[in-house]
Amino acid sequence: MKSPNVTIKDIARLLGISPSTVSRALKDHPDISQATKDQVNKLAAEMNYRPNPIALSLRNRRSNVIGVVIPEIVHFFFSSVISGINKVANEHGFSVMVSQSSEDFEKEVEVCETFRHSIIDGLLISVSKHTTEYEHLRRLDEEGIPVVFFDRMIEEFNADRVLINDYEGAFEATQYLIVEGRRRIMHFAGPQSRLIGKNRLKGYLEAHRKNGVVIDESLVINCDNFESALVQTQRIIDEGVKFDAIFTVNDFTAAGVVKTLVKNGIKVPEDVSVIGFGNDYMAEMIEPTLTTVCQPGFTMGEKAMQMLINRINSEKTLEPKTEVLPTKLIIRNTTKKR
Amino acid sequence: MKSPNVTIKDIARLLGISPSTVSRALKDHPDISQATKDQVNKLAAEMNYRPNPIALSLRNRRSNVIGVVIPEIVHFFFSSVISGINKVANEHGFSVMVSQSSEDFEKEVEVCETFRHSIIDGLLISVSKHTTEYEHLRRLDEEGIPVVFFDRMIEEFNADRVLINDYEGAFEATQYLIVEGRRRIMHFAGPQSRLIGKNRLKGYLEAHRKNGVVIDESLVINCDNFESALVQTQRIIDEGVKFDAIFTVNDFTAAGVVKTLVKNGIKVPEDVSVIGFGNDYMAEMIEPTLTTVCQPGFTMGEKAMQMLINRINSEKTLEPKTEVLPTKLIIRNTTKKR
DNA sequence: AACGAGTGTGCAAACGTTTGAAATTTAAAC
DNA sequence: GTTTAAATTTCAAACGTTTGCACACTCGTT
């Protein structure tokens, strides 16, 4: 039961003038006499008048609301991104609606459809792990709702993108391990169906090549979460796989690796170095503290939102841009100090 | 540049009938003949007609959008709550706008003001650590925008609330330690200006009394984050404080405690047991894994959203309700198995 | 032949705002 | 005391939808 707010009509009635005059007076339109303006502004202030945003949206066909689709809100990296999005959105008078796909393609399509039929002026999306089709995004595009990808994108869909330099980050991490003297570096990789997994693997491989270290393909295994890291690490230890470092596709995996290594009496970093990816807050809490590649989630959110605003405000259809953000290797105690 | 969607008017024009008839036909109004309804529904389907939510909002004075104000999005507990809110909101056709106060009172007031002048039908809020005044909430209430608190509330402001049973959770944790045989249990407490800190301390104290264990006030110190836990724990060790368990106000603090204890060669849980609060995902990653009180964040979000929906839909002003959610002690390896 | 009931449809106003065009008032010029 | 231009204000339509009411028809009754 919302009590109705004061409207332009109320002010007009009270002042015995027309709503149009009030509207123009409030906008400081040159046609209106100073006397009238003063009257209107005074009363508006007294009555604490605020323009009704819904009426404005209807008239302007513009809501200043944007939608965000994210695989998991409950995730340090993604919530950092949301934080950055929020910051820039607030600064520019935009509101943000967030929905999560829970890494489920069907759910992703569903929330996109909901957004499409709602009021949003634009969409920021990081697609689910299983998204390969993009019909749902094409439909948004068709209705003139601009789409900007962050972190995870669809290559075939031509739109603005903000990405992490996964390749460079992985390259730097791996190279650090090589320079540290490691020669049998394992990589716990993410799904190769996604660019992130692919690029991090690529960086890992390329660092070997550039530094003249031979690559043993058997050192790369598929493992990208805490639980399976516990299992896989135990397995390679039991099987007697020889390795002196592990570079993982994310920090959860690294946490599982470190835990299992330590439990088996393997010294980290003396016997085996570990580097994660993401700089989750937990990286400082585990023992030893985790060396990891920092992904600038907050900055990513800021940039993505800025790109979307530009897109929304631009009349003409600009060529889509891709922005690639640099990573930074955070050295902690799962690697030796140099 | 959003391309305009098909409207009721378009359908009316194409069919040579009036918009009102189309509107009624789409709603299956009994006044309309079956023939007309069929015509309308067919064309609407073909043209993929969707009602314009903004126009609906304007007419119904109801947006089906709710606002959420949260201290920190980047926080496992709070993002879990958002997740729960989102779930129930989606099920009931509501959209969710999220803003964070960053634990800053000024910022909280600002986002509340923004929300007040925007389109929301209701507000879910967990107030910042430093919020003591509630004028900004009263203003929302005045405009008929219902407010529901979750997790952190203002006692003086009479509104719906969903809370965690902090007292019970702390009581159970402390009692577990006592039954385990601990007698010098420290408490790293949160700020006593907030109910959460207060109630957890109360549970800690009461568990002592109920079990006939004498309370040593000097065992309670102020410490509620990871960094200061590192410092404080080191300090009590250096000062030779005698203790055999530590119960902390949250998991970050516990993580800092465990880390420092282990570093100092103190065996956990043999020499000292530790229990945290929150069941953050990092609790399973640290070594030893952390025994902690699970706060049902997701459930809290669900309940809060449900309460808000009830409030929005209710004509009459019901008496505000407070719902208290139970906690659950998750036994891991920083306490002895019983 | 007039009546009432029932059926299907359209008109117009409303939600709150903006804006082009028209109308009115004011002031200046002749 | 006109005429004319300029200054100010109002009208009306528009954004897309809903809904009370009126209207127009068609029946079957009296």
Side-chain angles (χ1 to χ4, degrees), chain A residues 48 50, chain B residues 69 105-120 123 125 134-141 143 145:
Chain A
N48 196 16
R50 299 291 153 177
Chain B
V69 181
F105 175 66
E106 306 298 329
K107 186 81 202 300
E108 177 179 308
V109 172
E110 188 191 313
V111 306
C112 282
E113 283 299 287
T114 308
F115 272 140
R116 183 161 71 94
H117 299 129
S118 81
I119 65 176
I120 62 167
L123 186 80
I125 185 169
Y134 51 93
E135 175 62 20
H136 54 307
L137 300 176
R138 218 191 36 67
R139 273 198 293 270
L140 281 157
D141 191 59
E143 302 210 350
I145 299 176

Side-chain angles (χ1 to χ4, degrees), chain B residues 224-240:
Chain B
D224 69 345
N225 61 66
F226 179 70
E227 285 75 18
S228 83
L230 296 177
V231 176
Q232 294 293 321
T233 311
Q234 191 60 56
R235 185 183 60 74
I236 56 172
I237 293 171
D238 292 347
E239 290 179 1

